[in-house]
Amino acid sequence: MKDGGEPDFLILEYVTITRDPRTQLVVSSRCTPETAGILETVGRFRDGGVQYMRQPHDMPVEQQRHYATAAAQALLISGVSVYLDPSLNTLATPNGDRVAAHRYLNQLTERASAATDDKQVAEILAEVAAPTEGLLSHLVQTLITTWVTWSRRTEGPLYQDGLAMRLMDTTSVLSRGGDEIRSIRSQAAAAKPAAPQPPAPPGPAAPPPTRGR
């Protein structure tokens, strides 16, 4: 306590780890070289400017969450106060994960609505149908696992009615759809911006009106 009777407070460094809604990059504020070092070695963050750090542009979503959570834990252990976006926290409750998943889908829909060129469309299609990290790939894997578990039960009316095989057939259609979306994405990514059209030449001048006699 100071001479004037005022208490001493320990002011902790404060770091924010969140996802930028415009670019979808995981970014972090940095306070000291020590916190920047933790963010770099544990969270795979890189220098993004004077005021912030960011993870690589091409890092898959699940790796973003994994390294962001690991960095937050390491910072907390070192005595740094941290705010971690709930959508990045892999230790969150299942309901929190569900809310985060819905939030991510809503953000993807907003990006699709705001897309203004082929490159932005290709980026959205990559999020949907990337071979291993895309939304559709995860959905197909979940359905395959469901089918495998279901098909092991060789008795029961649902299996006898062929519902498990119908599920597998539908899953195969979704998987082939992913291949088609990836093909469309590749063509969209390779498309060149349309050249601006030159203005149309002016038409012939109208003759002056004749004066009646």
Side-chain angles (χ1 to χ4, degrees), residues 44-64:
R44 303 297 192 271
F45 286 81
R46 298 293 180 263
D47 189 4
V50 176
Q51 301 296 331
Y52 73 99
M53 301 181 72
R54 62 168 178 79
Q55 289 179 339
H57 289 273
D58 56 352
M59 180 176 286
V61 172
E62 286 306 310
Q63 289 188 22
Q64 289 178 339

Side-chain angles (χ1 to χ4, degrees), residues 5-200:
E6 296 291 337
D8 293 323
F9 292 97
L10 178 61
I11 304 300
L12 298 177
E13 299 159 0
Y14 192 89
V15 176
T16 297
I17 301 176
T18 188
R19 187 186 298 280
D20 178 66
R22 183 177 62 85
T23 64
Q24 297 302 302
L25 281 175
V26 176
V27 296
S28 171
S29 61
R30 62 177 176 190
C31 301
T32 66
E34 290 75 21
T35 58
I38 293 175
L39 289 166
E40 182 174 357
T41 57
V42 181
R44 303 297 192 271
F45 286 81
R46 298 293 180 263
D47 189 4
V50 176
Q51 301 296 331
Y52 73 99
M53 301 181 72
R54 62 168 178 79
Q55 289 179 339
H57 289 273
D58 56 352
M59 180 176 286
V61 172
E62 286 306 310
Q63 289 188 22
Q64 289 178 339
R65 298 181 68 237
H66 170 77
Y67 288 122
T69 301
Q73 293 296 308
L75 289 168
L76 288 171
I77 292 173
S78 67
V80 178
S81 296
V82 180
Y83 169 78
L84 176 63
D85 188 325
S87 69
L88 298 172
N89 189 356
T90 59
L91 304 177
T93 62
N95 185 57
D97 286 344
R98 182 183 181 87
V99 171
H102 287 177
R103 185 186 304 115
Y104 169 69
L105 291 173
N106 290 336
Q107 291 173 351
L108 196 61
T109 301
E110 291 173 0
R111 289 173 59 193
S113 177
T116 58
D117 56 35
D118 294 334
K119 181 177 181 296
Q120 293 176 353
V121 171
E123 291 173 351
I124 295 165
L125 295 181
E127 293 276 356
V128 172
T132 57
E133 296 295 335
L135 297 171
L136 189 56
S137 299
H138 284 290
L139 176 60
V140 167
Q141 185 59 50
T142 298
L143 293 174
I144 290 174
T145 302
T146 303
W147 172 79
V148 169
T149 303
W150 200 359
S151 63
R152 287 173 182 167
R153 305 202 317 261
T154 57
E155 298 179 357
L158 292 181
Y159 184 82
Q160 292 173 1
D161 290 342
L163 292 183
M165 290 308 301
R166 285 171 57 190
L167 174 62
M168 193 62 221
D169 291 342
T170 303
T171 304
S172 298
V173 172
L174 287 174
S175 181
R176 292 193 296 272
D179 294 337
E180 182 64 20
I181 292 174
R182 284 189 287 274
S183 174
I184 295 171
R185 180 262 170 196
S186 297
Q187 296 178 57
K192 295 181 179 179
Q197 297 296 322

